[in-house]
Amino acid sequence: MAPQNDDSESMQVQDLPLAKLKKDEPKENESRDETISEGSIDRIPVRLWVMHGAVMFGREFCYAMETALVTPVLLQIGLPEQYYSLTWFLSPILGLIFTPLIGSASDRCTLRWGRRRPFILGLCVGVLLGVALFLNGSVIGLAIGDVPENQTIGIVLTVLGVVVLDFCADATEGPIRAYLLDVADNEEQDMALNIHAFSAELLRLCLCHLLTWFSIIAEAVFYTDFMGQVIFEGDPKALSNSTELHQYNAGVQMGCWGLVIYAATAAVCSALLQKYLDNYDLSIKIIYILGTLGFSIGTAVMFIFPNVYVSMIMISTMGIVSMSISYCPYALLGQYHEMKEYIHHSPGNSKRGFGIDCAILSCQVYISQILVASALGAVVDFVSTVRVIPLVASIGSFLGFLTAAFLVIYPEVPDENKEEPKRQVAPDAAITNGVDPEKPLVLKLSPKGQTAVPPEVESESAV
């Protein structure tokens, strides 16, 4: 995050009698606790962490409901089975078009709220609208002319709700990740504001992200349907009050509990990850490999032994890979922004922040959804069973494991950066002439002897 001129602790500039350091550009009117200096993660107010956690909780709650109920709802209101996978095709198309634009716009946003929060708020409103249409599309359709045997309006409204919900939930990923990188970055971030090219590091990372997300989406979207049709041997299109329909609904309910196990596993793994990162030298590569390989093994076992106990236990491996894919790509992205060979791809004085790179990573989610929507429906129709879904997810995750192990570039962190001792400053010399020696001094003299502030410390909105 760029240093803020309106934060007295972010950067110190020595006062000179010859000239007064003054910026012509208007300063951002942000509160002190919302302007976070670089490398100051310990000083981030608890209120901001709570607000960020609330956004993530609401987003993930809606995501979980969508994942568990979309396929059963679409099948039960009468959408032909050969078309329901294509529902997931519309949202990624919108995402590929608009997500990079959202990321770029958030990098350049100058609103008083900050760069990221206006986009997060707008997309969260879209999530709520999508949830309302998705859950009530059939009811609205019946109220305005549909009949139970032909719910055309209900199908259209439900599909529209799914598209809006899925697009907005996915699109919030970029601004949320960029927000975290903004407020919790280290003192080398200023050098990373002028990346322009799609580097080899980012390209390989995106490939691994694509493969891993393909396997996660394939398993998550079809998991409750897999439980209902394969494990409980039900039929979503059976007659009302029939044994087959009751069995299918029981399987969907059990699948929802399986997704609870997945979410709980992801939460526990995230907590353990933080503990081990603080106490052990646990590398990003190890976390990435363990997550992708574990999910590949878990879904393979689910395919070979299709029973309720195995399926409920093995779905926990999706929590492990979700933890790794939520941490590793963005941690690597932060390290890439510290590499001179990475930032030197940018010509001229153009600036580009974390927002656009996070958007590029988010686009891999959309591409994976397109692959799932266009390919898995045909695969299920060809084999006439959704039992093949865990096998497809296992293959995708194994390819992600190979990519994480052999293609993704992991920058070497110098030993002096891992544990750099702080300089000892005598108490009486701690502050001299109002300048703290622990703070970097920003001062440049022009050829005419006038003081100037480098362009990289221009005032920006914090988040």
Side-chain angles (χ1 to χ4, degrees):
M1 179 181 110
Q4 306 296 305
N5 291 342
D6 55 346
D7 188 349
S8 60
E9 295 182 11
S10 295
M11 188 70 67
Q12 294 188 359
V13 181
Q14 184 173 359
D15 293 331
L16 294 181
L18 297 178
K20 197 174 185 180
L21 298 177
K22 187 175 182 180
K23 299 293 293 179
D24 294 333
E25 295 81 8
K27 294 183 179 180
E28 301 291 342
N29 296 321
E30 297 188 22
S31 62
R32 179 182 181 86
D33 63 349
E34 292 180 352
T35 306
I36 310 299
S37 64
E38 45 186 335
S40 60
I41 188 170
D42 293 334
R43 295 168 48 207
I44 297 176
V46 175
R47 180 177 64 86
L48 292 184
W49 285 116
V50 173
M51 291 172 62
H52 180 267
V55 172
M56 292 297 293
F57 174 82
R59 172 181 178 270
E60 294 301 324
F61 180 84
C62 295
Y63 237 148
M65 180 176 58
E66 177 198 33
T67 300
L69 299 179
V70 163
T71 299
V73 167
L74 289 177
L75 291 177
Q76 291 185 23
I77 65 174
L79 183 69
E81 189 167 356
Q82 62 268 29
Y83 296 127
Y84 75 85
S85 64
L86 295 180
T87 303
W88 303 101
F89 192 86
L90 301 176
S91 170
I93 294 296
L94 295 176
L96 286 174
I97 297 173
F98 291 106
T99 299
L101 298 179
I102 292 173
S104 180
S106 71
D107 283 339
R108 293 163 174 79
C109 180
T110 58
L111 295 179
R112 292 181 60 185
W113 275 13
R115 291 185 291 179
R116 318 297 180 190
R117 281 173 285 184
F119 295 90
I120 295 174
L121 176 62
L123 292 169
C124 286
V125 172
V127 169
L128 295 177
L129 177 62
V131 169
L133 287 175
F134 160 58
L135 293 179
N136 300 286
S138 177
V139 176
I140 297 173
L142 292 173
I144 60 178
D146 274 350
V147 294
E149 295 79 15
N150 185 15
Q151 301 188 42
T152 303
I153 299 176
I155 290 174
V156 171
L157 292 177
T158 303
V159 170
L160 178 61
V162 171
V163 171
V164 173
L165 167 60
D166 197 50
F167 165 72
C168 292
D170 284 338
T172 56
E173 182 81 4
I176 287 174
R177 299 294 180 182
Y179 177 90
L180 287 177
L181 292 171
D182 281 339
V183 301
D185 196 38
N186 55 37
E187 58 189 25
E188 296 294 330
Q189 181 176 340
D190 298 328
M191 299 172 58
L193 291 176
N194 54 359
I195 299 170
H196 229 30
F198 200 80
S199 67
E201 291 89 355
L202 190 57
L203 180 62
R204 297 185 182 193
L205 181 61
C206 284
L207 176 60
C208 185
H209 206 55
L210 169 64
L211 292 170
T212 309
W213 265 112
F214 171 82
S215 63
I216 292 175
I217 292 175
E219 180 65 26
V221 168
F222 288 90
Y223 180 71
T224 53
D225 192 41
F226 171 81
M227 293 291 290
Q229 293 197 51
V230 177
I231 305 300
F232 281 73
E233 299 180 348
D235 183 1
K237 296 184 178 181
L239 296 176
S240 180
N241 295 323
S242 64
T243 303
E244 291 81 4
L245 183 59
H246 284 300
Q247 288 176 336
Y248 180 80
N249 290 333
V252 170
Q253 292 177 3
M254 186 61 69
C256 291
W257 283 111
L259 294 177
V260 170
I261 294 175
Y262 140 68
T265 304
V268 171
C269 289
S270 298
L272 293 176
L273 172 66
Q274 185 60 50
K275 176 182 178 180
Y276 282 99
L277 283 176
D278 291 339
N279 296 280
Y280 301 96
D281 186 15
L282 191 61
S283 69
I284 297 175
K285 185 175 183 178
I286 292 176
I287 299 171
Y288 222 162
I289 289 176
L290 289 179
T292 51
L293 182 60
F295 187 52
S296 177
I297 295 174
T299 47
V301 172
M302 194 184 303
F303 170 75
I304 298 172
F305 305 103
N307 67 70
V308 64
Y309 299 106
V310 171
S311 298
M312 295 292 285
I313 294 173
M314 290 298 104
I315 195 62
S316 63
T317 60
M318 192 164 73
I320 300 174
V321 74
S322 296
M323 174 273 297
S324 67
I325 204 173
S326 298
Y327 165 72
C328 296
Y330 300 96
L332 286 173
L333 187 61
Q335 292 185 3
Y336 292 163
H337 276 238
E338 300 174 19
M339 298 168 56
K340 291 183 178 180
E341 59 270 23
Y342 185 85
I343 66 173
H344 284 167
H345 282 89
S346 177
N349 295 320
S350 58
K351 288 188 176 182
R352 180 171 166 188
F354 280 111
I356 189 64
D357 280 349
C358 289
I360 291 173
L361 279 179
S362 297
C363 283
Q364 311 315 307
V365 182
Y366 295 123
I367 296 174
S368 64
Q369 287 179 337
I370 292 174
L371 293 176
V372 169
S374 59
L376 276 194
V379 171
V380 171
D381 287 340
F382 179 76
V383 299
S384 300
T385 177
V386 293
R387 182 180 174 180
V388 73
I389 297 299
L391 177 62
V392 174
S394 178
I395 294 173
S397 187
F398 185 73
L399 293 176
F401 155 72
L402 295 178
T403 307
F406 302 108
L407 285 182
V408 172
I409 297 175
Y410 301 90
E412 294 184 2
V413 181
D415 294 337
E416 59 269 16
N417 290 345
K418 294 182 179 179
E419 187 175 354
E420 183 177 356
K422 296 183 177 179
R423 294 183 301 162
Q424 299 295 328
V425 182
D428 56 348
I431 299 179
T432 305
N433 296 327
V435 178
D436 189 348
E438 293 294 329
K439 298 288 185 178
L441 182 64
V442 178
L443 177 64
K444 283 190 177 181
L445 292 177
S446 65
K448 295 183 180 180
Q450 298 175 339
T451 57
V453 178
E456 58 266 26
V457 295
E458 292 178 354
S459 179
E460 290 186 332
S461 176
V463 291

